[in-house]
Amino acid sequence: MFIDYNHLTAESELRRAALLADAENYRLARLARRARSVRVEPSRGDPPARATADNDEAERRYAVSR
């Protein structure tokens, strides 16, 4: 029985490389999915966002006790 070890070694290395590529693709896809789902919250040191013109007009229309 003749076994071509060079061919088997090359084929096993190709399969190993394909499996490693699949694992890396899965890991990166999971990281990307997690990054998309994370909401970015402003830190406490950040100044508040400026109100839009609509909000400014609404505050002027209604009397606010001070």
Side-chain angles (χ1 to χ4, degrees):
M1 181 177 195
F2 179 72
I3 298 176
D4 186 4
Y5 285 110
N6 291 334
H7 176 71
L8 291 176
T9 302
E11 189 174 330
S12 67
E13 285 298 318
L14 285 174
R15 288 184 183 180
R16 180 179 174 273
L19 287 173
L20 287 174
D22 286 344
E24 183 69 10
N25 186 33
Y26 175 77
R27 185 185 71 84
L28 291 175
R30 228 173 74 198
L31 284 173
R33 193 171 29 244
R34 190 181 315 156
R36 282 192 300 264
S37 68
V38 173
R39 257 181 67 189
V40 177
E41 305 263 342
S43 65
R44 290 184 175 203
D46 291 345
R50 294 187 67 185
T52 63
D54 296 334
N55 288 341
D56 289 342
E57 292 173 7
E59 288 177 6
R60 281 188 233 134
R61 259 187 265 146
Y62 301 105
V64 178
S65 61
R66 294 182 186 203

